[in-house]
């Protein structure tokens, strides 16, 4: 079995032996549920649910909503779904208990780093208003979501994401959790040979793992990253400093960028749009268009569309929408990003979309890691391929 260990940095919560054992147990339990129990839902569908549906309607279900309506009544589906959700909550709890035990020390470390001689920067705003689609939801059942700010100088949300996401992806994003940023950079180079951006902006950076990946692949660029949560940004800044990566973090919404027109060469939204509302996605595209230089590139990595996927697979992938506090998940799968782009000002002829570089390739991880991850919690956490939309600002 291929095993990937998370790279230690100054604010990474360290697990005691007991905590590590609990995290490992939950990790294995999650895999067991998904590999041994969840596949039985397909059997229940084909043996019980589908024949009844056909008898009653004289046809097969046409979409995921029809399948869901009948499947949620089936006891086996209810049981496996409940197992999946419970394991997800247990996973966050196992990380959170370890963070809370060492929180004062972690906050102290992040404060000392921010007050010292830094190579990057952080700017937070008093009274910053977090958009409701972030503040009122605990995305993927992460306690407190991305906006939790529990005490003065809190870093919990960043630590939860950094450690929790490493556990639930079982290391697939790489030891530095930078796989998404590295994969996007490789994709960008393939799309636009000779690309050499001087200034890059990442919208929705959370703990800054993807931002570290962007900087690794474009070391000459000045890299900025924004998020709405203060605790994720404090953590991201301390983390990047500790890893020796110069990055500039800002508390800011992608819907209202406080940057000059035509000031960036490349902007990225890496796995962030499925955590925003539809209106926000439109606003973010408009703002990206505004602050890109003429000829600037916008790269989005997101959940792949449902279009062309059979109704059962759509239903399986939609599990997160209803059970994992991902209210925008299904909506993003249906979104026509080319429409959003053209409404924001991008020329349709400068728009493209499709599958491309995945995180496993970016971190040169073996397919064994990929196989372990394939069925873990939802549909899209495999590392082989990622889905992208890309566009260029004319000029
Ligand atoms: C799934 S995480 C992104 C993960 C990160 N890019 C990575 O790969 O490690 C989504 C992030 O988008 C942020 N976000 C949501 N709406 C935003 C907005 N309007 N402006 C900036 N960030 C936003 C959330 O707070 C959250 O931290």
């Amino acid at each position: 079995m291929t095993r990937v260990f998370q790279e230690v940095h100054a604010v990474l919560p360290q697990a005691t032996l007991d905590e590590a054992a609990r995290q490992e147990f939950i990790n294995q339990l999650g895999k067991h549920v998904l590999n041994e129990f969840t596949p039985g839902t397909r059997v229940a569908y084909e043996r019980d649910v589908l024949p009844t549906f056909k008898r009653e309607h004289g046809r097969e279900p046409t979409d995921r909503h029809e399948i869901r309506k009948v499947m949620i009544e089936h006891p086996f589906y209810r049981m496996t779904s409940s197992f999946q959700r419970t394991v997800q909550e247990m996973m966050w709890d196992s990380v959170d208990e370890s963070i809370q035990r060492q929180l004062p020390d972690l906050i102290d470390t992040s404060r000392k780093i921010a007050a010292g001689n830094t190579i990057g920067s952080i700017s937070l705003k008093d009274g910053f208003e977090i958009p409701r689609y972030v503040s009122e939801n605990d995305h993927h059942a992460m306690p407190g979501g991305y906006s939790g700010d529990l005490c003065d100088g809190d870093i919990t949300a960043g630590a939860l994401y950094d450690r929790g996401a490493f556990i639930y992806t079982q290391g697939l994003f790489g030891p530095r959790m930078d796989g998404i940023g590295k994969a996007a950079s490789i994709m960008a180079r393939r799309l636009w040979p000779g690309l050499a951006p001087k200034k890059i902006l990442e919208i929705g950076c959370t703990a800054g793992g993807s931002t570290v990946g962007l900087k690794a692949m474009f070391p000459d660029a000045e890299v900025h990253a924004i998020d709405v949560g203060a605790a994720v940004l404090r953590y991201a800044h301390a983390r990047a400093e500790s890893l020796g990566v110069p990055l500039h973090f800002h508390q800011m919404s992608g819907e209202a960028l406080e940057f000059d027109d035509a000031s960036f060469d490349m902007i990225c939204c890496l796995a962030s749009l499925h955590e925003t509302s539809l209106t926000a996605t439109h606003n973010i595209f408009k703002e990206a268009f505004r602050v890109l230089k003429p000829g600037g590139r916008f790269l989005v990595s997101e959940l792949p569309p449902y279009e062309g996927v059979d109704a059962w697979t759509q239903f399986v992938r939609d599990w997160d929408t209803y059970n994992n506090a991902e209210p925008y998940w299904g909506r993003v799968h249906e979104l026509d990003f080319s429409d959003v782009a053209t409404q924001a000002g991008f020329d349709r002829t400068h728009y493209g979309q499709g599958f491309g570089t995945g995180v496993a390739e970016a971190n040169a991880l073996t397919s064994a890691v990929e196989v372990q991850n394939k069925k873990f919690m939802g549909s899209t956490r495999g590392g082989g391929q990622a889905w992208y939309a890309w566009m260029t600002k004319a000029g």
Side-chain angles (χ1 to χ4, degrees):
M1 185 171 102
T2 304
R3 186 90 211 210
V4 182
F5 292 96
Q6 190 161 12
E7 183 173 337
V8 174
H9 54 74
V11 281
L12 184 71
Q14 296 297 314
T16 62
L17 277 179
D18 282 353
E19 288 164 356
R22 191 168 166 223
Q23 290 170 5
E24 181 60 25
F25 168 74
I26 290 160
N27 194 347
Q28 297 301 326
L29 181 64
K31 271 195 286 185
H32 184 69
V33 165
L34 272 138
N35 292 328
E36 306 303 325
F37 299 158
T38 302
T41 55
R42 179 81 201 224
V43 178
Y45 177 64
E46 282 169 359
R47 208 161 48 197
D48 301 344
V49 179
L50 186 57
T52 311
F53 188 97
K54 279 188 183 157
R55 239 188 347 267
E56 287 173 1
H57 297 83
R59 60 171 176 82
E60 297 207 357
T62 50
D63 60 26
R64 67 183 196 273
H65 302 295
E66 281 194 334
I67 297 182
R68 183 173 171 271
K69 221 168 141 191
V70 284
M71 282 302 285
I72 55 171
E73 299 301 330
H74 197 284
F76 190 80
Y77 178 70
R78 293 165 85 126
M79 182 188 74
T80 56
S81 190
S82 167
F83 279 172
Q84 282 187 214
R85 169 68 189 218
T86 304
V87 171
Q88 179 82 337
E89 290 181 10
M90 287 168 77
M91 187 276 293
W92 291 119
D93 282 354
S94 74
V95 179
D96 200 25
E97 87 176 339
S98 145
I99 295 170
Q100 296 314 314
R101 179 181 51 75
Q102 53 202 304
L103 189 61
D105 288 344
L106 293 173
I107 291 177
D108 193 45
T109 304
S110 92
R111 280 211 171 105
K112 283 187 179 134
I113 290 174
N117 285 331
T118 55
I119 49 176
S121 63
I122 178 167
S123 111
L124 301 177
K125 284 184 205 76
D126 282 342
F128 178 81
E129 203 174 321
I130 309 235
R132 286 178 55 195
Y133 49 82
V134 174
S135 65
E136 293 190 0
N137 187 50
D138 285 359
H139 292 83
H140 37 64
M142 185 168 99
Y146 292 114
S147 59
D149 202 5
L150 307 175
C151 57
D152 204 24
D154 189 27
I155 50 85
T156 303
L160 263 175
Y161 188 83
D162 196 22
R163 187 67 195 136
F166 184 86
I167 293 171
Y168 79 60
T169 61
Q170 298 172 32
L172 187 66
F173 292 177
R176 278 197 172 192
M177 291 291 287
D178 57 0
I180 291 183
K182 278 187 181 165
S185 306
I186 296 170
M187 182 69 187
R189 285 230 179 85
R190 280 182 188 153
L191 289 167
W192 304 299
L195 180 73
K198 290 198 188 77
K199 263 181 96 175
I200 299 177
L201 171 64
E202 184 186 3
I203 298 174
C205 61
T206 319
S210 45
T211 328
V212 164
L214 287 169
K215 179 72 181 170
M217 302 299 285
F218 294 107
D220 297 333
E222 181 182 302
V223 180
H224 294 255
I226 66 163
D227 207 291
V228 292
V232 295
L233 288 165
R234 285 186 203 106
Y235 183 89
H237 174 57
R239 179 188 192 277
E241 291 290 325
S242 157
L243 292 170
V245 183
L247 299 172
H248 304 284
F249 293 98
H250 313 259
Q251 188 173 27
M252 196 185 289
S253 171
E255 292 192 72
L257 296 176
E258 295 159 39
F259 298 114
D260 291 340
D261 294 1
S263 49
F264 283 91
D265 302 284
M266 182 160 90
I267 300 180
C268 300
C269 283
L270 305 179
S272 54
L273 292 176
H274 66 269
E275 315 284 34
T276 68
S277 69
L278 181 58
T279 308
T281 298
H282 277 277
N283 290 338
I284 288 170
F285 269 62
K286 283 181 196 143
E287 280 294 83
F289 183 79
R290 179 181 68 75
V291 307
L292 271 180
K293 293 177 189 169
R297 315 293 193 173
F298 185 30
L299 185 63
V300 169
S301 79
E302 249 325 317
L303 304 167
Y306 282 148
E307 203 182 336
V309 177
D310 67 88
W312 171 261
T313 308
Q314 288 188 23
F315 159 72
V316 172
R317 289 193 187 172
D318 224 25
W319 182 83
D320 293 71
T321 310
Y322 296 96
N323 304 291
N324 200 22
E326 291 285 6
Y328 307 107
W329 184 273
R331 188 267 305 156
V332 160
H333 282 87
E334 287 177 335
L335 193 58
D336 182 343
F337 278 102
S338 70
D339 262 1
V340 182
T342 45
Q343 283 177 44
F346 293 98
D347 189 318
R348 203 173 277 271
T349 58
H350 296 141
Y351 174 90
Q353 65 176 51
F355 285 92
T357 319
V359 285
E361 180 187 339
N363 272 315
L365 296 173
T366 69
S367 58
V369 178
E370 164 82 3
V371 169
Q372 281 178 53
N373 276 280
K374 221 161 98 187
K375 290 210 69 82
F376 196 72
M377 286 293 173
S379 57
T380 51
R381 294 179 192 155
Q385 289 256 287
W387 188 86
Y388 295 93
W390 56 88
M391 55 229 91
T392 304
K393 181 170 173 174

